[in-house]
Amino acid sequence: MADDPSLFDQFEQWYANCRDNDALDHKTKALIGIAVVLIGNCEPCTERRIRGAKRAGATDAEIDATLAWTMAIRAGMVQSLYRRAERHVHD
């Protein structure tokens, strides 16, 4: 499968279609990008995405809010998993 170069071409086309879709403005896409790479634990990606968001017109307050909201959502996920795991400990 990885030997088929058309798969990579297909991915690049799909990625371009997503990127170039006008349903979301560039700044919104940039802020979503920050959240995604933050959850993915990619520090250099996060730094690049923050620079990109600034170029897209995001303010420091919008970037801070994106970072905080992403952290809050992730923390909620961990809390939910903790509660589920805790039930198994006491079975």
Side-chain angles (χ1 to χ4, degrees):
M1 187 160 87
D3 295 334
D4 183 359
S6 70
L7 292 176
F8 296 104
D9 292 339
Q10 291 171 27
F11 173 80
E12 290 297 326
Q13 183 60 49
W14 173 80
Y15 184 88
N17 289 340
C18 291
R19 180 193 62 224
D20 299 337
N21 184 318
D22 291 335
L24 297 173
D25 62 78
H26 189 63
K27 181 172 75 171
T28 301
K29 289 177 189 177
L31 293 171
I32 292 169
I34 290 173
V36 170
V37 298
L38 192 63
I39 292 295
N41 295 318
C42 180
E43 187 174 344
C45 300
T46 302
E47 293 168 3
R48 282 193 305 274
R49 291 289 177 164
I50 289 172
R51 287 192 302 272
K54 288 183 176 188
R55 283 192 306 273
T59 65
D60 288 350
E62 289 170 324
I63 294 169
D64 285 341
T66 299
L67 294 170
W69 184 232
T70 303
M71 185 172 72
I73 291 170
R74 185 66 175 161
M77 292 168 62
V78 170
Q79 180 188 37
S80 178
L81 288 172
Y82 172 84
R83 287 180 177 173
R84 288 173 186 238
E86 188 177 43
R87 280 184 266 167
H88 293 290
V89 171
H90 302 291
D91 282 346

